């Protein structure tokens, strides 16, 4: 199968967030995501190309197969594009107004996430 250029190649996540760490731990076990690189941006020894650490710690980011960066809800859709059972949801969430609704939901999560740090 041909690589989807909008799917995730590398995921930048906050390993200091227990909820984020747990969710990424689940994704890492999925066979369809074995080719994804998982980068914990809370590790000060990790070098980040083209992404500021402070920004990476605030929101989930991915580098797509086409080299572009996506963050927030768009980052999740890039991950889900690799999963056969979620690919259709990812494609639907790429389309307005669903993309904006997903981003609003993600921003709501970010407000709650501060409590877990």
């Amino acid at each position: 199968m041909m690589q989807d250029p909008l799917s995730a190649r590398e995921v930048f996540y906050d390993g200091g967030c227990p909820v984020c760490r747990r969710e990424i731990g689940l994704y890492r076990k999925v066979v369809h995501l074995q080719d994804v690189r998982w980068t914990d941006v809370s590790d000060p020894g990790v070098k980040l190309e083209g992404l500021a650490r402070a920004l990476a710690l605030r929101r989930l980011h991915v580098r797509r197969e086409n080299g572009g960066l996506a963050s927030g809800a768009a980052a999740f859709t890039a991950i889900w594009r690799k999963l056969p059972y979620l690919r259709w949801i990812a494609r639907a969430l790429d389309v307005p107004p669903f993309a904006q609704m997903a981003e609003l939901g993600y921003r709501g999560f970010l407000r709650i996430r501060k409590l877990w740090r």
Side-chain angles (χ1 to χ4, degrees), residues 60-86:
L60 180 73
H61 285 75
V62 301
R63 185 165 319 280
R64 295 178 187 251
E65 290 292 345
N66 67 6
L69 282 173
S71 72
F76 279 101
T77 63
I79 295 168
W80 297 344
R81 282 175 163 276
K82 289 189 165 281
L83 302 173
Y85 46 90
L86 292 179

Side-chain angles (χ1 to χ4, degrees), residues 3-16:
Q3 250 340 335
D4 180 342
L6 298 179
S7 68
R9 176 176 58 195
E10 182 173 9
V11 176
F12 301 94
Y13 69 97
D14 180 1

